[in-house]
Amino acid sequence: MRIEDPKIIGALSELNVELRRSSLAELTSLAIGGTTDLLRIQKHESIPGLLSLLDSHGVPHRFLGGGSNLLVGDGELPWVVLQLASPDPDVVLEGNFAQVDAAADLGRTVTFCAKHDLGGMEGLIGVPGTVGGALRMNAGAYGMQIGSYVREVKLYRAATRQIEILRGEQISFEYRHTSFAPDDMMLAVKLELPSKPFKEILQGIRICNEKRRSSQPLGQKSAGCIFKNPPGASAGRMIDELGLKGLSVGDARVSDRHANFFVNTGKASANDMLALITDVRERVRTAFSVELEHEVVIWNA
Ligand SMILES: Cc1cc2nc3c(=O)[nH]c(=O)nc-3n(C[C@H](O)[C@H](O)[C@H](O)COP(=O)(O)OP(=O)(O)OC[C@H]3O[C@@H](n4cnc5c(N)ncnc54)[C@H](O)[C@@H]3O)c2cc1C
């Protein structure tokens, strides 16, 4: 979608929102996706005005974090993409609390806190993307999830059209699922992290890094796990048991290293990746009577 109306373009510049033509293939870790206008937001305060501007002109939108859990459709996309620009500093520490902007890089946040003897998030090392995306997805690994440390979230709430602060206990964080409404935009979070000596945290980080290196196709274009694990089972193990590692549609391929990672080995289209996902889901359903749920977020229409 291309914004051409001079009234909207003028209002965007008054709101200090930068408008940029963008290819989502360049903004996502799968390197798949068509073209649209990207709106980069400099200040949280401009968001209510921006969203009412877009709504009043019938411009649909999606929120983009780091693009590491997204499969985006091909061609000209029927919505614009909103992305927060990162303030400086994006992490402020006070005792055991870390106040973090949603645009902050997740890995950098984990190491920054670690250097100040604040731990707990070691498992998130190696999870790409932003803190906002991690909050929305309740990112986690190796027995931990970010939701356990959330004390407050600052967000734009679609229901009230205002920026609000929710306390941790008002939000439910489940396995790769949160109670935020689909149109809520994460702006910042206050985390409470346990004190731990840096050396101890570093040791935990090294262990998690090693586990990832030995099991995941880290140099390849992927969006992490394609499917959620069904209760008590492993999606990757089921796909592996069916001998589907290496199964391909065009350049979309089930990783030879981790059967729940699907990689783009060259110029895979969204349709290639979607066809591969559908094929694998059907085979798992037939063999195990299990309906796999996507973990990757699909922006297909
Ligand atoms: C190599 C690799 C390894 C991975 N390992 C893990 C892992 O171990 N554990 C795990 O949980 N995930 C993992 N992932 C998936 C992914 O990194 C996480 O889901 C990550 O938290 C997504 O963050 P993001 O900023 O990239 O979000 P995006 O991919 O940009 O967006 C994901 C979803 O969040 C929404 N969103 C993003 N920012 C905001 C915001 N500010 N407000 C509202 N909604 C927003 C988007 O609209 C979209 O629905 C992995 C991915 C890769 C490529």
Side-chain angles (χ1 to χ4, degrees):
M1 169 168 273
R2 195 188 278 273
I3 296 179
E4 285 170 318
D5 183 337
K7 270 194 219 147
I8 309 182
I9 294 173
L12 288 176
S13 112
E14 273 169 32
L15 289 165
N16 203 8
V17 172
E18 186 194 335
L19 175 64
R20 204 191 283 171
R21 200 77 196 132
S22 294
S23 154
L24 270 286
E26 288 167 14
L27 297 173
T28 55
S29 57
L30 260 177
I32 294 175
T35 308
T36 190
D37 279 353
L38 173 77
L39 275 55
R40 291 265 297 168
I41 301 163
Q42 305 297 331
K43 284 193 175 151
H44 294 171
E45 292 65 36
S46 61
I47 291 168
L50 170 62
L51 290 178
S52 57
L53 175 75
L54 297 179
D55 285 352
S56 64
H57 287 84
V59 179
H61 64 271
R62 303 270 162 110
F63 301 125
L64 176 71
S68 66
N69 201 41
L70 283 174
L71 169 54
V72 182
D74 302 312
E76 182 66 28
L77 301 167
W79 22 260
V80 298
V81 165
L82 311 188
Q83 192 181 43
L84 294 170
S86 201
D88 185 18
D90 51 11
V91 186
V92 176
L93 302 181
E94 201 182 324
N96 284 72
F97 294 99
Q99 185 71 39
V100 192
D101 194 89
D105 179 82
L106 180 65
R108 232 174 359 87
T109 302
V110 175
T111 46
F112 180 83
C113 293
K115 282 178 190 157
H116 292 82
D117 299 323
L118 294 175
M121 298 199 290
E122 293 83 334
L124 292 177
I125 273 292
V127 178
T130 61
V131 167
L135 274 177
R136 155 62 74 198
M137 300 302 306
N138 189 20
Y142 308 121
M144 63 76 58
Q145 54 181 28
I146 193 167
S148 312
Y149 301 101
V150 171
R151 296 298 166 259
E152 277 178 8
V153 173
K154 179 184 173 194
L155 74 173
Y156 168 82
R157 287 194 91 185
T160 59
R161 296 177 164 259
Q162 281 179 358
I163 291 177
E164 293 182 20
I165 297 203
L166 291 184
R167 294 188 313 280
E169 58 270 24
Q170 292 176 281
I171 309 160
S172 108
F173 288 100
E174 291 155 44
Y175 170 58
R176 303 298 170 273
H177 179 79
T178 52
S179 56
F180 300 112
D183 278 355
D184 288 346
M185 184 175 197
M186 313 294 116
L187 304 181
V189 62
K190 187 187 218 180
L191 302 167
E192 185 177 7
L193 300 169
S195 299
K196 261 194 205 179
F198 177 54
K199 268 192 177 167
E200 209 179 292
I201 303 172
L202 204 56
Q203 184 58 17
I205 285 177
R206 286 203 181 112
I207 292 168
C208 293
N209 269 337
E210 191 40 48
K211 282 187 189 163
R212 273 183 201 279
R213 262 197 297 270
S214 62
S215 64
Q216 298 180 1
L218 293 187
Q220 290 187 281
K221 296 168 198 159
S222 83
C225 288
I226 288 287
F227 299 110
K228 294 183 186 180
N229 288 324
S234 155
R237 202 164 302 134
M238 286 191 275
I239 300 167
D240 197 6
E241 274 174 26
L242 293 177
L244 302 182
K245 278 182 173 169
L247 183 72
S248 301
V249 176
D251 283 343
R253 181 181 173 96
V254 177
S255 161
D256 298 295
R257 215 168 158 76
H258 191 310
N260 199 11
F261 276 56
F262 293 11
V263 295
N264 173 5
T265 58
K267 291 191 181 321
S269 66
N271 283 339
D272 293 337
M273 195 54 82
L274 285 166
L276 185 63
I277 292 172
T278 304
D279 187 5
V280 170
R281 262 184 110 209
E282 281 172 8
R283 292 184 196 227
V284 168
R285 186 191 302 129
T286 306
F288 299 101
S289 303
V290 167
E291 198 67 51
L292 290 179
E293 211 185 307
H294 302 149
E295 178 168 334
V296 66
V297 175
I298 300 175
W299 286 355
N300 198 27

